Amino acid sequence: MDRSCGMGLPMPMLLLLLLLLLLALSCPAGALENGLARTPPMGWLHWERFLCQIDCNQEPRRCISEQLFMQMADLMVSDGWRDVGYQYLCIDDCWMAPTRDKQGRLQPDPNRFPSGIRKLADYIHSKGLKLGIYADVGNKTCAGFPGSRGYYDLDADTFAGWGVDLLKFDGCNFGTLELLAEGYKNMSHALNKTGRDIVFSCEWPLYERPFQKPNYTEIKQYCNYWRNYADVYDAWGSVKNILDWTSYNQDSIVDAAGPGGWNDPDMLVIGNFGLSWDQQVTQLALWAIMAAPLLMSNDLRQISSQAKALLQNKEVIAINQDPLGKQGYRITKESNFELWERPLSGGAFAIAVLNRQEIGGPQAFVFSTAFLGNGLACNPACSIQQILPTSVDLGLHNWVSPLKVVVNPTGTVLLKTVVTEEKLFDNGNKHFPEFF
Ligand code: GLA
């Protein structure tokens, strides 16, 4: 019997093709499918620590120059940063000369980057690292250097020609909302057209939000990650504001994140001056829960061994980089405690307990495992590992075990639950942590 409808294709094949076509037409487009940023990008970005210091005579060690990036590249390798995943070494604003060259191309400041960006990229690649650079969607960057408006294709080609691997595209001086959206879309296309793998970091929703609600379905089709909120500062108040903004807006931003596209709560300021030890633990723990890009802005030449060990903690990095790619969220806030969770692959969960109280000493928070993962995280049982501030095996728990953690003011306890089939016997006290 001929089941080919006269097109040379067997009927089942034809139906399959039809189905695929219908799916392609009906599914909303997902993340920017350039194959990049399948997990949140990790690296180093100069802005928060080094700002726009362009006076290399007065500040030779701290000015924005090729030397600074070469020194950071050396340390990223020799001090183990690359090997735990920090891969992108990123230049922020203030690398440019004040004007474009005669062909209209962006050019680096000749005194501070005398070898040119191509050479710097070669050096960084020779270390097994990747280079990030910065430009702006509007007429000028935030610090007043040349913007990319009117030059999107040329700038994308220039960056690709130099061997750039990531572009942070700022939104200062964007003009109108239409120009802002068009600019981000055009630059995204321009980067794709170069054929080079270039991660695209946007600030589109940050600049749009004061005027209208960002459309994340659209934004994630063009960007690999995007800033939503104000710049991070080296201060607990700043980290707190970012966390408050994120939990307040979680219903509209958490689902937007996934492999290929991430919410960016801005740089890690761990290893600098403004955060206490507990606050540094909180920043890393919550950035892991939020599936945030881990872009450190610190001085790798002068960083305490404690901050280094924290930033290089493999268990925390594994949570941040979990392949399921789901962003976490706050489950509850009870007086001064916040309970956050993030679903991980294999039915595991990362749990963060944050103590927001800024007076007194360590405080106990007791909660039931039944709260976690909508009751599924420990069902029928789970093993629980404390990861931060120190590594502790908390043992097996059943689905309604009480759990008690003691958290320092402004600190966080980060846990990981792994579901097990092993059921606990009824007087499960044996398995409760020793403080019960
Ligand atoms: C904006 C961005 C910052 C940084 C500066 C540079 O404020 O949000 O992250 O890039 O511009 O001028």
Side-chain angles (χ1 to χ4, degrees):
M1 185 167 64
D2 180 11
R3 307 198 304 174
S4 69
C5 303
M7 290 165 64
L9 283 175
M11 188 62 145
M13 186 79 98
L14 206 67
L15 284 175
L16 187 68
L17 279 177
L18 204 66
L19 197 68
L20 287 175
L21 187 72
L22 279 175
L23 271 177
L25 291 176
S26 64
C27 282
L32 167 59
E33 291 301 341
N34 58 3
L36 304 173
R38 307 307 297 171
T39 60
M42 293 174 64
W44 186 93
L45 177 60
H46 94 239
W47 185 257
E48 194 288 322
R49 178 66 189 252
F50 292 95
L51 298 168
C52 192
Q53 179 53 260
I54 55 175
D55 187 344
C56 289
N57 294 326
Q58 289 299 319
E59 295 285 352
R61 259 173 76 78
R62 285 192 284 271
C63 67
I64 308 311
S65 68
E66 61 185 34
Q67 222 190 323
L68 179 71
F69 292 94
M70 287 163 77
Q71 288 177 356
M72 293 305 157
D74 293 347
L75 289 164
M76 280 176 82
V77 179
S78 63
D79 286 358
W81 300 100
R82 181 195 62 187
D83 292 346
V84 295
Y86 295 95
Q87 190 185 23
Y88 289 92
L89 181 51
C90 303
I91 309 175
D92 207 288
D93 205 347
C94 304
W95 62 272
M96 296 175 199
T99 56
R100 291 175 175 268
D101 72 9
K102 289 205 184 71
Q103 286 86 44
R105 286 178 309 213
L106 290 173
Q107 49 184 348
D109 183 279
N111 298 320
R112 294 181 286 116
F113 293 85
S115 317
I117 304 294
R118 169 85 245 182
K119 278 270 161 54
L120 181 59
D122 289 346
Y123 186 77
I124 285 167
H125 293 152
S126 77
K127 302 261 161 191
L129 298 167
K130 293 181 183 293
L131 174 65
I133 208 162
Y134 167 100
D136 189 284
V137 74
N139 293 322
K140 278 184 186 315
T141 73
C142 298
F145 290 87
S148 291
R149 161 120 346 108
Y151 295 93
Y152 299 129
D153 285 307
L154 181 61
D155 291 354
D157 286 344
T158 305
F159 297 145
W162 285 342
V164 163
D165 307 291
L166 181 150
L167 174 64
K168 172 174 173 176
F169 208 40
D170 210 337
C172 272
N173 310 301
F174 64 84
T176 65
L177 285 180
E178 288 70 35
L179 287 172
L180 177 75
E182 252 173 52
Y184 275 101
K185 291 180 191 177
N186 286 340
M187 188 47 119
S188 182
H189 283 139
L191 292 173
N192 273 345
K193 268 193 291 174
T194 67
R196 186 173 172 83
D197 283 346
I198 302 179
V199 172
F200 190 38
S201 148
C202 301
E203 299 201 27
W204 180 359
L206 167 64
Y207 289 93
E208 182 179 14
R209 189 172 289 274
F211 308 99
Q212 66 188 32
K213 231 172 106 191
N215 175 351
Y216 287 98
T217 313
E218 185 175 39
I219 288 166
K220 70 193 250 197
Q221 288 167 38
Y222 294 95
C223 304
N224 288 121
Y225 60 97
W226 48 84
R227 285 271 309 282
N228 292 308
Y229 185 65
D231 292 3
V232 72
Y233 280 63
D234 187 13
W236 175 234
S238 166
V239 172
K240 266 194 307 191
N241 285 343
I242 292 172
L243 292 176
D244 287 343
W245 186 91
T246 305
S247 51
Y248 187 76
N249 291 283
Q250 61 187 11
D251 290 347
S252 58
I253 64 166
V254 164
D255 287 342
W262 310 97
N263 289 296
D264 175 14
D266 212 0
M267 293 157 266
L268 294 169
V269 293
I270 295 163
N272 291 324
F273 309 94
L275 300 188
S276 72
W277 165 245
D278 287 290
Q279 293 158 3
Q280 295 180 65
V281 168
T282 292
Q283 195 188 23
L284 191 68
L286 271 300
W287 262 234
I289 293 278
M290 292 188 289
L294 297 183
L295 296 166
M296 307 179 280
S297 194
N298 49 22
D299 189 345
L300 300 178
R301 299 167 300 190
Q302 283 174 307
I303 184 164
S304 72
S305 47
Q306 200 185 28
K308 182 177 160 202
L310 175 63
L311 286 162
Q312 294 195 359
N313 184 310
K314 289 191 178 139
E315 316 249 27
V316 187
I317 292 174
I319 290 174
N320 175 265
Q321 296 287 302
D322 184 82
L324 187 62
K326 275 195 179 297
Q327 179 171 340
Y329 38 83
R330 196 172 80 184
I331 313 177
T332 180
K333 181 168 170 30
E334 278 171 36
S335 63
N336 51 304
F337 280 104
E338 295 186 17
L339 184 60
W340 293 62
E341 72 176 17
R342 175 178 173 188
L344 304 174
S345 45
F349 280 83
I351 311 292
V353 183
L354 164 61
N355 179 2
R356 291 288 297 261
Q357 187 146 303
E358 298 179 18
I359 189 169
Q363 281 209 336
F365 180 64
V366 183
F367 60 104
S368 167
T369 52
F371 274 126
L372 309 177
N374 259 330
L376 295 177
C378 287
N379 196 348
C382 68
S383 65
I384 304 186
Q385 179 78 23
Q386 178 180 302
I387 291 171
L388 288 177
T390 51
S391 171
V392 185
D393 186 356
L394 297 183
L396 282 177
H397 295 258
N398 67 27
W399 73 283
V400 284
S401 299
L403 193 61
K404 174 177 155 187
V405 292
V406 177
V407 197
N408 289 347
T410 68
T412 293
V413 167
L414 180 67
L415 309 171
K416 183 177 171 183
T417 66
V418 177
V419 73
T420 69
E421 284 308 314
E422 186 181 345
K423 293 205 175 73
L424 301 181
F425 42 83
D426 286 340
N427 74 353
N429 277 344
K430 178 169 171 256
H431 291 283
F432 290 167
E434 56 200 25
F435 30 73
F436 282 98

